[in-house]
Every structure is written in structure tokens, then in C-alpha cells.
């Protein structure tokens, strides 16, 4: 039985000479992999636009249990982006976050609150018209941790505390885990968790500070998610927003 859902494109990989495998995080089916034919007509430009990083697509497919690769019956844009693929900073953020989500979201089970968060975040970034999104990827990743069960415990924070990266908590003494942030950097964790998309432009950071925050967040996820790698797009993003 064919069903329809909305999905977010995470990754595209060549499967053979005539097909690609596209990984999509869907509202109804969770993370799902599709085999998609490589177009060879004049309309191929439009076809490629459907599978850009973080593209929101509407999919009709026959999803069957115990099948790894599914075939799309129909696919179209659920939301035509106004700026995301065309703005150099936004497209770099999209490329990084798509790679991050591809590595982090392993569960096939649907999670509608997570999907709603991802969709809202992508639409917010596309609609933002000025440079106030410089901290967007940092806020996105810190708030994503709630949905993955990795949210740091902020309740016991006191000025001068260390942040235990392994136990995701603050400590007045050097954590025995051996993997921690010193007090000056630990305070930034609490600061990041106070940001949201509407207020993040009020928290000024230079490129070096923003790059360090990004490295710490990536290291935090690597500690808590099995086989989470150093992302290829990480260095590209660090060079932005000077």
C-alpha cells in the first residue's frame, strides 16, 4: 500500500550507474533509505534540487517491513526554499547539519516531536534575512541533544564549576572521568543552552570562539554516540562568520 509523508534529505550516495541511495528523515517512518533513479533528461536540474541537503520533500512510497532500500513512486518539493541553497553561509550550514544528522539519527522509528523541531529549524534558517543566524548551528545542535537524550544537566551549575563531558554534568572539582571543560569554557555550555533562534544574535562571539564551541559540541556528541566521526564539513563551517 502506497503512503505519503514529508521528509528531510540527509545524504545522497551513488548506488550504481543508474541509481542513487537517498537517506531521508521522514515524519511517518523515521529514517528511511530510498533508491532513486539518476535522471538523464533536461529536467535533471529540477530532479537534483529535490535532494539537496536538508531539502523538505513530499514522498509517496511503498514502505515494507524488513526492506532496507525502498523505491519512491512520487517525490516533489514540500517547501521550495527561498534562500537556503543559494546563500553561501546558509548552504554551508545546511551541508554541515545534514552530515551531522546523517551520522546522529540512526533510529528508524518515527519521532514526530524531533521531526517538528528539525522542520521548524530549517524553515527558520531559510526565512532569516540578515546575519543574525551566525550562531544558528550551535543553538541547533545544543537543542538537538534534548531529543537524543544527551541534554546536559544544568541544575547544579555554580560559577567556577568544571563540566564533565562524560557524565554531562557540572562539578566543583576536577571530574574523575578525565574528559572535562575548565571553568571558563564550562560557563559557555550554560550560555549556549540559554540561546534560542530569536535571541542568539544578542550573544556576540568571534570566529575563534564560535569555532571552539563547535569543536566542543562535536566532541560531546562523539563521546555519547557510538561510531560518531569527525565530520568532513566541520572545518568548512569553522571558517565562516568572521
Amino acid at each position: 500500500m502506497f503512503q505519503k509523508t514529508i521528509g528531510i534529505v540527509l545524504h545522497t550516495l551513488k548506488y550504481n550507474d543508474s541509481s542513487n541511495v537517498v537517506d531521508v528523515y521522514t515524519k511517518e517512518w523515521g529514517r528511511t533509505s530510498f533508491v532513486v533513479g539518476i535522471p538523464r533528461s533536461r529536467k535533471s536540474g529540477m530532479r537534483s534540487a529535490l535532494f539537496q541537503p536538508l531539502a523538505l520533500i513530499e514522498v509517496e512510497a511503498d514502505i515494507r517491513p524488513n526492506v532496507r532500500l525502498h523505491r519512491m513512486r512520487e517525490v516533489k518539493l514540500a517547501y521550495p526554499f527561498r534562500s537556503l541553497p543559494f546563500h553561501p553561509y546558509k548552504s554551508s550550514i545546511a551541508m554541515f547539519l545534514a552530515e551531522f544528522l546523517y551520522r546522529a539519527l540512526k533510529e528508524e522509528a518515527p519521532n514526530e516531536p524531533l521531526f517538528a523541531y528539525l522542520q521548524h529549524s530549517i524553515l527558520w534558517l531559510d526565512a532569516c534575512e540578515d546575519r543574525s543566524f551566525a550562531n544558528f548551528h550551535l543553538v541547533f545542535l545544543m537543542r538537538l541533544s534534548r531529543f537524543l537524550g544527551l541534554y546536559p544537566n544544568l541544575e547544579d551549575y555554580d560559577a567556577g564549576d568544571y563540566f564533565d563531558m562524560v557524565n554531562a554534568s557540572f562539578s566543583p572539582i576536577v571530574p574523575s572521568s578525565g574528559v572535562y571543560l575548565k571553568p571558563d569554557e564550562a560557563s559557555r555550555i550554560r550560555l549556549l543552552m540559554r540561546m534560542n533562534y530569536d535571541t542568539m544574535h544578542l550573544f556576540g562571539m568571534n570566529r575563534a570562539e564560535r569555532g571552539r564551541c563547535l569543536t566542543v559540541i562535536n566532541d560531546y556528541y562523539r563521546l555519547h554516540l557510538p561510531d560518531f566521526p569527525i565530520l568532513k564539513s566541520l572545518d568548512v563551517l569553522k571558517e565562516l562568520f568572521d
Side-chain angles (χ1 to χ4, degrees), residues 159-202:
D161 279 355
Y162 296 82
F163 180 68
D164 186 335
M165 295 276 281
V166 174
N167 295 303
S169 60
F170 292 95
S171 171
I173 61 174
V174 176
S176 60
S177 69
V179 185
Y180 59 87
L181 299 179
K182 294 181 179 180
D184 57 335
E185 289 195 327
S187 65
R188 284 194 173 274
I189 298 294
R190 186 166 176 267
L191 179 67
L192 285 169
M193 301 310 295
R194 290 172 56 197
M195 294 184 190
N196 60 48
Y197 297 146
D198 294 325
T199 64
M200 62 188 179
H201 66 283
L202 301 175

Side-chain angles (χ1 to χ4, degrees), residues 20 31 51 55 73 98 103 112 129 136 138 145 174-175 184:
N20 290 331
R31 177 167 168 164
F51 303 112
R73 181 182 188 182
R103 300 296 184 181
E112 289 198 20
E129 296 181 350
F136 175 86
L138 304 179
S145 67
V174 176
D184 57 335

Side-chain angles (χ1 to χ4, degrees), residues 7 13-14 25 28 40 43 49 51 54 60 94 115 120 122 127 135 154 163 176 179 187 189-190 192 206 211 220:
L13 180 68
K14 187 174 182 180
Y25 192 77
E28 305 293 339
R40 303 187 184 280
K43 296 182 179 180
F51 303 112
L54 300 188
E60 183 177 3
F115 182 87
H120 166 76
I122 294 166
N135 294 325
L154 306 179
F163 180 68
S176 60
V179 185
S187 65
I189 298 294
R190 186 166 176 267
L192 285 169
N206 59 37
Y220 180 75

Side-chain angles (χ1 to χ4, degrees), residues 105 120 123 125 155 202 217 221:
L105 302 181
H120 166 76
L123 295 178
L125 181 61
E155 295 180 0
L202 301 175
I217 293 171
Y221 274 93

Side-chain angles (χ1 to χ4, degrees), residues 134-135 137-138 185 205-219 234-235 237-241:
N135 294 325
H137 51 296
L138 304 179
E185 289 195 327
M205 281 190 276
N206 59 37
R207 187 174 70 183
E209 291 170 332
R210 194 173 287 112
R212 175 57 182 162
C213 286
L214 188 58
T215 296
V216 168
I217 293 171
N218 191 75
D219 289 346
L234 187 64
D235 289 337
L237 208 60
K238 287 180 180 180
E239 295 301 316
L240 298 180
F241 306 110

